[in-house]
Amino acid sequence: MEDRPNAVPTVVDLRTESYNSPAATEMIEAANRTNTALYGHADQSPLSPDEFALERRGRFIVAYLDGAPIGCGGYRRHHHEESGTIAEIKRMFVVVGVRRRGIARALLSRLEHDARADGYHAVILDTGSKQHAAHALYEHSGYRRTTGFGIYRDKPGNRAYLEVLDSADHGDS
């Protein structure tokens, strides 16, 4: 278990769903409310639900606890990278009331595993500068801040991270 004294092991059901499924929409709206409270606006990244479709090498995962959606995250092909080997993680979110139970870590691990299986060699993401728990999660998971990769770069209000995926599943197999 992690070095979090209040951590409670939680068993979650991680389901692949369409980006615009009812549960995914509910979680994305919750994430947007959180971003609006922190930054004054929702996530402004342009995207299309079909970018998360399996046939386009994308995926969207909704986390469930006792049958209720409690988190989400997905990846799509990174648009600013020609080789098609970098996935872009989007819309990572866990409901406030169930945080610090390893749910975000489980979501991230699943996204990395699936991205690797889809042929990606690295993942990139960004997160707001006020989301300190997210920074800790990504850094503890081996992500390194990147200062210049396409649109991804540290700037006021934003932190960008890159993780090279090796052939191992970081202990998932």
Side-chain angles (χ1 to χ4, degrees), residues 105 108-109 112 135-144 163 170:
R105 185 172 304 276
L108 184 61
S109 179
E112 291 170 347
H135 305 162
L137 168 68
Y138 299 132
E139 291 167 10
H140 189 264
S141 298
Y143 286 69
R144 300 292 175 248
E163 167 71 348
H170 297 294

Side-chain angles (χ1 to χ4, degrees), residues 66-140:
D66 298 327
I70 48 107
C72 65
Y75 63 85
R76 64 182 182 176
R77 182 177 180 269
H78 181 21
H79 297 290
H80 299 281
E81 192 273 319
E82 296 295 323
S83 72
T85 62
I86 298 179
E88 178 181 24
I89 293 180
K90 303 298 291 177
R91 306 303 192 255
M92 280 284 296
F93 175 75
V94 174
V95 172
V96 172
V98 295
R99 290 182 182 167
R100 299 195 54 81
R101 296 184 186 183
I103 296 164
R105 185 172 304 276
L107 265 168
L108 184 61
S109 179
R110 169 70 182 273
L111 292 171
E112 291 170 347
H113 176 270
D114 290 352
R116 191 178 297 109
D118 280 343
Y120 292 108
H121 297 288
V123 291
I124 196 161
L125 60 87
D126 65 0
T127 189
S129 60
K130 297 178 183 178
Q131 294 170 287
H132 306 292
H135 305 162
L137 168 68
Y138 299 132
E139 291 167 10
H140 189 264

